[in-house]
Amino acid sequence: MRLVAAIISVLVFLIVKKIKKGPVTGFDVALIIFGVCLSMIIIFTQVISLYTAPTKSMFPTIKPGDCFVELLCRYGLRVPFTTRWLYRIKPKRGDVITFYIPEAFVSQWRWWRKERTKRIVGMPEDEIMMKNGKVYINGITLYEPYAVYIGPSKSYAKSTFTKKDNWDKPIKVPKGEYFVMGDNRNNSEDSRHFGFVPLDYITGKVVFIIWPPHRIGLIY
């Protein structure tokens, strides 16, 4: 984040300094346009991204049609347009994240892949269990004030579990991977369907709803 701010600050300083020296030439205009474009690329590939929620899977935290901000730099700094990371920061339980599911992780080009938005429930090496809709982490009931069960429960052909919310036995989350679920448990295709999410598949943290006006606010 500091690196991005430093680059943008340098660009602004150079542009202002050039303008103060005298009449602006065509080259100066081209330089300004280049600087603005470079700044926008840095911002929207390294700092933030905007999304609109298409489903009810994160209801009521995120409702269909909500436009929200994803903080791309929250979990590290990525080389633009690739899957390579310069450094990584591990997410926490309860974080609402964006990520690529394994079956959609087929190309290094970011906009060719399908992203999802869910909440981290299970951390690496956790033992997780669901009984009658309640989540247990290492034998302790997980407090989930955000979780709801609205609408008919969906059934997925590829589901990892025969009973989505009432498992026969606990499972252990592999090292370096996460178990994610939507807040609306009846209407979410999540780790109960496609399995665990590796750290490298996580792209950012959802932090703020910016539209519609009556929904503006932080996401917890």
Side-chain angles (χ1 to χ4, degrees):
M1 188 70 174
R2 292 178 180 176
L3 176 61
V4 173
I7 293 173
I8 294 174
S9 297
V10 170
L11 286 172
V12 171
F13 172 76
L14 291 175
I15 291 171
V16 172
K17 185 177 180 180
K18 187 69 176 178
I19 291 175
K20 286 183 177 180
K21 282 186 175 181
V24 179
T25 65
F27 175 78
D28 295 333
V29 173
L31 181 62
I32 292 173
I33 294 174
F34 173 77
V36 171
C37 291
L38 180 60
S39 299
M40 295 301 291
I41 290 174
I42 292 173
I43 289 172
F44 286 105
T45 61
Q46 298 296 331
V47 184
I48 64 171
S49 188
L50 303 179
Y51 290 94
T52 300
T55 70
K56 296 180 179 179
S57 69
M58 283 299 296
F59 183 91
T61 305
I62 302 174
K63 298 180 179 181
D66 283 354
C67 182
F68 57 85
V69 176
E70 170 196 5
L71 194 60
L72 299 172
C73 57
R74 177 62 184 85
Y75 301 126
L77 184 63
R78 184 179 57 213
V79 179
F81 312 120
T82 75
T83 59
R84 295 180 180 274
W85 292 84
L86 299 178
Y87 71 91
R88 288 295 254 156
I89 299 173
K90 295 180 181 179
K92 299 177 181 179
R93 190 191 322 278
D95 284 359
V96 177
I97 63 170
T98 53
F99 61 95
Y100 301 122
I101 60 174
E103 65 184 21
F105 200 77
V106 295
S107 169
Q108 68 173 1
W109 298 101
R110 183 166 194 280
W111 47 78
W112 286 1
R113 298 181 304 205
K114 186 177 181 181
E115 283 185 298
R116 301 288 179 92
T117 302
K118 306 294 177 187
R119 189 185 296 272
I120 292 179
V121 174
M123 300 290 287
E125 300 186 81
D126 272 350
E127 187 176 79
I128 184 171
M129 178 72 175
M130 287 195 77
K131 274 293 182 183
N132 300 318
K134 291 185 177 180
V135 177
Y136 297 85
I137 301 294
N138 301 321
I140 301 175
T141 305
L142 180 64
Y143 176 61
E144 296 186 288
Y146 44 76
V148 298
Y149 289 81
I150 298 177
S153 180
K154 287 189 175 182
S155 177
Y156 300 106
K158 297 180 181 179
S159 181
T160 306
F161 310 98
T162 54
K163 297 179 180 179
K164 289 180 61 178
D165 304 311
N166 197 20
W167 305 349
D168 296 325
K169 59 182 180 179
I171 59 169
K172 188 168 184 178
V173 183
K175 185 176 181 180
E177 300 187 11
Y178 298 81
F179 191 93
V180 301
M181 287 196 286
D183 288 353
N184 186 2
R185 299 292 158 77
N186 278 0
N187 204 326
S188 176
E189 186 179 7
D190 46 41
S191 284
R192 294 170 292 177
H193 168 63
F194 51 71
F196 306 106
V197 178
L199 175 62
D200 284 345
Y201 288 21
I202 297 174
T203 58
K205 180 180 180 180
V206 179
V207 293
F208 200 80
I209 294 175
I210 62 172
W211 191 264
H214 68 277
R215 293 277 297 156
I216 292 175
L218 293 172
I219 293 177
Y220 298 100

